[in-house]
Amino acid sequence: MAEYTKGIIVIFAFVLDLLLGDPVRPTHPVVLIGKLITFLERILYGIFKTPIGLKVAGIILWILTVPTVYFMTSAVIGACYKINYWLGFALSVWLVYTSIATKNLADEALAILAELKAGNIKKARVRLGGIVGRDTDKLPLEEICRATVETVAENTVDGIISPMFYAFIGGAPLALAFKAASTLDSMVGYKNERYRNFGWFSAKMDDILNYVPARLGGILIVAASFFLKLDGKNALRTMLKDAGKHKSPNAGIPEAAVAGALGVRLGGWNSYSGKLHFCPYMGEKKREIDPEDIKLSVNLSVCTAMLGLIVGEVILILTMARV
């Protein structure tokens, strides 16, 4: 696929996402990927029993899922292009569009904000529980705001910058392969009794695949902070100072950058299935976090996504010019 075609596909997909949001349907690629993972997990868990065996099964699961998604996507798109160029182009746009979550992330966060403004803290907790893994049923207002801002920051990389990054490199097949790897991590990449061994490889590969996009995303968040007249200098300073404290090699980067840009402190005690876990603090507590920070984090996320699109297109143009 020509480089300029990839760039045009990403532009159309990005605009489509901003207009329509995530198409929640049984035929959504991520839904189908999830069904494939569940099917393979059931088979592999029935074959492998020991800790080492389950680690091997986790590797097999990843290999059977991610390359399969890549090659099947490539084959279907290739067949469509042979039938009609515009059919292949349209399918590529649709698939990349389903891999990007700019509007969906913003809508989910703003829906929580709307509930808080209406005084419906119970409903806000329920909505928050749909997008975070921590326990939300007893969270006070400030902790709801913190959790929402943190998930917006982290998913700006996982759900927007990373899939765009891979779409620019390898088109729809690579973007869908990344989503498959990301879905694997979200389904089996937990350190609980069932997935500690079985999901270790998926979790590790997710860290590897997000490594470069997370660092690019951090730079873009800092740039977006300046653009939106937030504290860009503090975003950069906090990212450099605090990002490495996070247990994840990637999540701390966008979280620290957003904390610095907003002038709030993220991190702290979170409850998962009734067990408390401490996440290192990101940023200085210059003030209490409040519901308006949710809106600011969403603005920062959308601006970061747009800058990511622009930078990606510019790099493609420069690459083509050199060739």
Side-chain angles (χ1 to χ4, degrees):
M1 183 185 295
E3 295 299 316
Y4 71 87
T5 304
K6 291 179 191 173
I8 295 171
I9 286 171
V10 176
I11 291 174
F12 273 89
F14 186 85
V15 172
L16 204 59
D17 175 65
L18 288 182
L19 293 175
L20 302 179
D22 202 28
V24 183
R25 300 189 184 96
T27 54
H28 191 291
V30 174
V31 175
L32 298 177
I33 291 168
K35 289 180 179 179
L36 172 63
I37 293 169
T38 300
F39 173 73
L40 292 173
E41 177 185 347
R42 187 163 54 246
I43 293 174
L44 292 169
Y45 231 97
I47 298 173
F48 297 89
K49 304 294 183 180
T50 66
I52 294 177
L54 288 172
K55 284 192 173 185
V56 172
I59 298 174
I60 295 172
L61 174 67
W62 198 92
I63 292 173
L64 288 177
T65 303
V66 178
T68 296
V69 169
Y70 177 83
F71 288 115
M72 285 187 65
T73 304
S74 297
V76 172
I77 290 175
C80 288
Y81 268 115
K82 287 182 179 180
I83 295 171
N84 181 276
Y85 175 85
W86 294 109
L87 179 62
F89 181 85
L91 179 61
S92 296
V93 169
W94 183 76
L95 289 173
V96 174
Y97 149 59
T98 64
S99 74
I100 302 171
T102 310
K103 188 175 188 300
N104 188 58
L105 179 60
D107 287 347
E108 290 292 338
L110 293 177
I112 294 169
L113 174 60
E115 297 292 0
L116 291 177
K117 285 187 172 182
N120 300 322
I121 193 166
K122 290 184 179 180
K123 290 184 179 180
R125 289 169 180 158
V126 172
R127 293 202 71 106
L128 177 62
I131 60 173
V132 300
R134 70 192 72 175
D135 302 329
T136 63
D137 56 317
K138 297 179 181 178
L139 291 182
L141 185 144
E142 183 179 345
E143 288 298 299
I144 293 173
C145 294
R146 175 172 74 87
T148 306
V149 170
E150 286 174 355
T151 198
V152 169
E154 183 176 353
N155 282 289
T156 295
V157 170
D158 294 351
I160 305 170
I161 299 302
S162 289
M164 278 205 300
F165 174 81
Y166 287 105
F168 274 122
I169 294 174
L174 200 56
L176 262 290
F178 168 78
K179 291 301 290 186
S182 181
T183 304
L184 272 167
D185 179 60
S186 67
M187 291 180 68
V188 305
Y190 298 102
K191 293 183 178 180
N192 56 26
E193 185 177 349
R194 179 175 176 84
Y195 294 123
R196 184 173 289 107
N197 295 307
F198 187 68
W200 75 277
F201 190 75
S202 292
K204 181 61 66 176
M205 289 303 298
D206 186 72
D207 287 342
I208 292 171
L209 291 173
N210 278 299
Y211 189 86
V212 173
R215 281 140 187 84
L216 293 175
I219 295 170
L220 291 169
I221 290 172
V222 171
S225 301
F226 282 108
F227 189 82
L228 294 175
K229 297 183 179 179
L230 297 172
D231 197 341
K233 289 183 179 179
N234 194 44
L236 178 60
R237 182 165 52 248
T238 305
M239 182 176 69
L240 294 175
K241 180 172 68 75
D242 292 342
K245 298 176 183 177
H246 203 287
K247 64 179 181 179
S248 165
N250 302 318
I253 295 173
E255 287 188 23
V258 169
L262 301 183
V264 299
R265 188 177 72 182
L266 300 178
W269 289 101
N270 302 320
S271 174
Y272 296 91
S273 300
K275 296 181 179 180
L276 287 175
H277 297 268
F278 182 76
C279 183
Y281 291 122
M282 305 277 139
E284 299 175 7
K285 194 174 183 179
K286 297 182 177 180
R287 60 178 178 81
E288 296 292 336
I289 192 168
D290 62 50
E292 283 304 309
D293 289 309
I294 295 176
K295 184 176 181 180
L296 290 175
S297 70
V298 168
N299 292 342
L300 198 50
S301 175
V302 174
C303 185
T304 298
M306 290 181 172
L307 289 177
L309 177 68
I310 293 169
V311 170
E313 296 294 339
V314 169
I315 291 175
L316 272 183
I317 292 171
L318 293 175
T319 302
M320 289 165 53
R322 291 183 63 181
V323 173

